[in-house]
């Protein structure tokens, strides 16, 4: 736990050092990579986290997704149970209000969305590892929520400066399927049989890649990579 606390402090301090123009530029670059992902393009229902502080700015991404006709949800947090409820957004400027911990969340009039109806969840993090594990803010909200989203692709979103060779994690922690930053896209191919030719990730075993190996070239993967590996692209 001490290692996690120290890493959080270090990464947040570095992130807080970014200027508003840096945050905007890096957020735009990451957003472009996110929207270019086949699983994002195929998703009808997407849950975004709502950024706060020096986090990557998701509000323009939410607005863009709505303009594309996607069903967009954002989480409402219950600080007692530490549970997240996805709620539908139609206008970020009208539907969001400061909630738990000062983070903007959907107003009471926003209808809840069944997690089983989500095609893709955009996941926040303080720090990320090269193999897709994350350190959050310590509340466990997303750890609990992601365990309920068995059908949704899990896509981490952050700045490249938040990515470390490794981060502390336990056996119960779930890695993301894809990690998107301002610099590159990392696709994690091994360790989950769902990822080979999986429609959550835009995969079709008829369209390149070998589902036995987890590879799909359209996602930056390489069918030569076996379980445990990750392929990345900078485009």
């Amino acid at each position: 736990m001490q290692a996690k606390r120290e890493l959080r402090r270090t990464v947040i301090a570095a992130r807080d050092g970014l200027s508003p123009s840096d945050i905007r530029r890096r957020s735009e670059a990451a957003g472009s990579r996110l929207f270019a992902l086949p699983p994002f393009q195929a998703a009808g229902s997407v849950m975004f986290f709502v950024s706060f502080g020096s986090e990557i700015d998701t509000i323009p991404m939410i607005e863009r997704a709505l303009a594309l006709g996607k069903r967009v949800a954002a989480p409402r947090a219950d600080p007692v149970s530490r549970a997240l409820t996805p709620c539908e957004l139609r206008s970020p400027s009208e539907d969001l209000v400061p909630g738990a911990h000062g983070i903007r969340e959907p107003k009471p009039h926003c209808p809840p969305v069944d997690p089983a109806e989500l095609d893709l969840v955009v996941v926040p993090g303080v720090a990320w590892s090269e193999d897709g594990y994350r350190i959050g803010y310590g509340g466990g909200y997303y750890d609990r929520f992601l365990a309920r989203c068995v059908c949704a692709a899990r896509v981490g979103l952050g700045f490249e400066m938040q990515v470390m060779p490794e981060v502390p994690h336990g056996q119960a922690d779930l890695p993301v399927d894809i990690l998107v930053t301002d610099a590159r896209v990392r696709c994690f191919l091994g360790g989950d049989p769902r990822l080979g030719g999986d429609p959550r990730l835009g995969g079709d075993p008829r369209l390149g890649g070998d589902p036995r190996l987890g590879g799909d070239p359209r996602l930056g993967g390489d069918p030569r990579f076996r379980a445990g590996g990750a392929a990345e692209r900078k485009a």
Side-chain angles (χ1 to χ4, degrees):
M1 294 298 293
Q2 182 64 27
K4 286 187 176 183
R5 284 194 291 268
E6 290 296 331
L7 187 56
R8 283 190 192 100
R9 280 195 287 266
T10 299
V11 175
I12 291 174
R15 198 183 65 192
D16 286 346
L18 294 174
S19 68
S21 61
D22 278 337
I23 291 174
R24 182 172 59 255
R25 174 178 55 82
R26 296 182 191 215
S27 298
E28 289 173 353
S32 295
R33 289 180 167 81
L34 173 66
F35 278 73
L37 289 176
F40 186 89
Q41 293 176 350
S45 299
V46 179
M47 187 177 104
F48 282 90
F49 65 92
V50 180
S51 52
F52 79 104
S54 59
E55 283 187 327
I56 194 165
D57 188 2
T58 57
I59 296 298
M61 302 179 204
I62 291 171
E63 293 172 340
R64 182 178 174 187
L66 287 167
L68 290 172
K70 295 186 183 294
R71 185 186 191 194
V72 176
R76 182 185 295 141
D78 182 341
V80 177
S81 65
R82 294 190 175 185
L84 295 178
T85 300
C87 299
E88 188 168 355
L89 296 180
R90 291 186 172 87
S91 171
S93 62
E94 297 178 3
D95 291 345
L96 295 173
V97 64
H101 313 293
I103 302 171
R104 287 174 294 176
E105 60 181 34
K107 293 179 179 178
H109 72 264
C110 297
V113 176
D114 186 340
E117 297 177 3
L118 295 171
D119 298 315
L120 186 145
V121 177
V122 181
V123 183
V126 172
W128 299 91
S129 69
E130 290 282 1
D131 55 355
Y133 287 94
R134 62 182 283 276
I135 289 180
Y137 291 91
Y141 288 88
Y142 273 88
D143 295 327
R144 296 179 183 88
F145 180 73
L146 292 176
R148 298 162 52 204
C149 296
V150 295
C151 296
R154 303 184 296 267
V155 179
L157 183 67
F159 298 130
E160 185 66 23
M161 64 183 295
Q162 296 172 254
V163 182
M164 312 290 160
E166 59 183 24
V167 299
H169 65 272
Q171 291 184 345
D173 293 333
L174 293 173
V176 293
D177 301 317
I178 302 172
L179 176 59
V180 179
T181 73
D182 51 302
R184 64 190 66 181
V185 173
R186 294 170 174 84
C187 299
F188 306 105
L189 308 178
D192 189 338
R194 298 173 303 160
L195 304 189
D198 190 326
R200 296 179 312 147
L201 303 183
D204 186 331
R206 299 170 300 169
L207 300 177
D210 186 333
R212 296 170 303 167
L213 306 182
D216 187 332
R218 295 173 304 153
L219 298 182
D222 187 329
R224 297 170 299 170
F225 287 7
R226 293 188 178 271
E232 63 184 43
R233 65 181 181 192
K234 297 184 180 180

